[in-house]
Amino acid sequence: MKRLSKTLVLVGMMGAGKTSVGRRLAGALGVQFRDADHEIEAAAGCTVSDIFELFGEEAFRDGERKVLSRLLEEAPHVLATGGGAFMDPDTRTRIKEHAVSVWLKADIELLVSRVSRKDTRPLLRNTDPRAKIEALLKIREPVYAEADVIVISDDGPQDIVVKRIIAAVEPFMNGEPT
Ligand code: S3P
């Protein structure tokens, strides 16, 4: 693998594995890992759920846009985004300008089984998670498909997914070999 010349931005649905795969990917590449939701929480001083509950989704999206714009100015690293981030046209443009985007694509069964393990996602509260995910996928998949590369995230070992990403982004990296 050549040196990372641009930030790798992981996009895709809740439960696709952006955070866990992203952390491993950063370790494998020897670069920093950033998680946009975590950075938003740090900036706001409260959880994503609290932001949704206290200020609403629009306020969360504003914060998300600002935080991502800041993170995209940082040295090349691995950046996991929240599932809605790439849907914002400004954020998408910035990602296209500054980074290489990777759609971590997982099938509905895997997404549903993964999101059912946690109750931290405000969009999936008080609703049928499968129906909500299906509805979001209809809207989001054509937009996620604008990512530079698409990598399948399945139930197998995450190191395999990491290897797939490294192979897929190789043509986009033009730095010196490490
Ligand atoms: C969201 C996904 C979440 C988080 C917020 C909204 C979405 O992140 O940003 O709850 O709109 O899909 P993950 O994709 O990391 O769960």
Side-chain angles (χ1 to χ4, degrees):
M1 175 74 180
K2 293 175 187 153
R3 194 187 301 278
L4 207 59
S5 55
K6 281 180 170 185
T7 287
L8 291 184
V9 178
L10 303 185
V11 308
M13 199 58 181
M14 298 174 262
K18 301 180 297 284
T19 300
S20 49
V21 169
R23 192 171 283 121
R24 279 172 190 260
L25 176 63
L29 296 171
V31 296
Q32 292 276 347
F33 172 68
R34 297 263 191 265
D35 180 77
D37 281 347
H38 180 85
E39 298 288 329
I40 294 163
E41 290 181 335
C46 61
T47 65
V48 168
S49 291
D50 287 342
I51 301 171
F52 268 74
E53 203 170 308
L54 296 171
F55 308 108
E57 180 169 354
E58 215 173 299
F60 171 77
R61 298 299 174 196
D62 280 350
E64 184 173 54
R65 196 177 307 112
K66 286 184 190 124
V67 162
L68 280 167
S69 149
R70 167 170 63 78
L71 292 171
L72 287 165
E73 298 292 335
E74 288 187 2
H77 62 283
V78 174
L79 171 56
T81 61
F86 201 59
M87 299 304 293
D88 180 86
D90 288 347
T91 297
R92 218 159 52 239
T93 302
R94 283 211 175 83
I95 291 175
K96 284 178 183 171
E97 281 167 5
H98 294 274
V100 175
S101 49
V102 179
W103 174 17
L104 218 47
K105 186 176 184 189
D107 70 29
I108 180 85
E109 300 308 325
L110 185 58
L111 295 173
V112 172
S113 85
R114 291 230 185 103
V115 299
S116 309
R117 290 182 212 147
K118 282 207 269 175
D119 183 31
T120 52
R121 294 182 169 100
L123 290 179
L124 302 179
R125 288 220 180 108
N126 309 317
T127 182
D128 170 13
R130 175 182 293 268
K132 180 72 183 182
I133 288 178
E134 274 170 355
L136 286 173
L137 282 175
K138 263 200 193 118
I139 299 165
R140 291 180 175 182
E141 283 204 319
V143 180
Y144 291 155
E146 291 181 32
D148 293 312
V149 299
I150 302 174
V151 170
I152 299 296
S153 175
D154 53 22
D155 216 3
Q158 291 198 323
D159 286 340
I160 306 263
V161 182
V162 166
K163 287 199 177 116
R164 277 183 205 141
I165 297 174
I166 291 175
V169 300
E170 176 91 49
F172 292 84
M173 297 298 147
N174 52 15
E176 294 299 309
T178 49

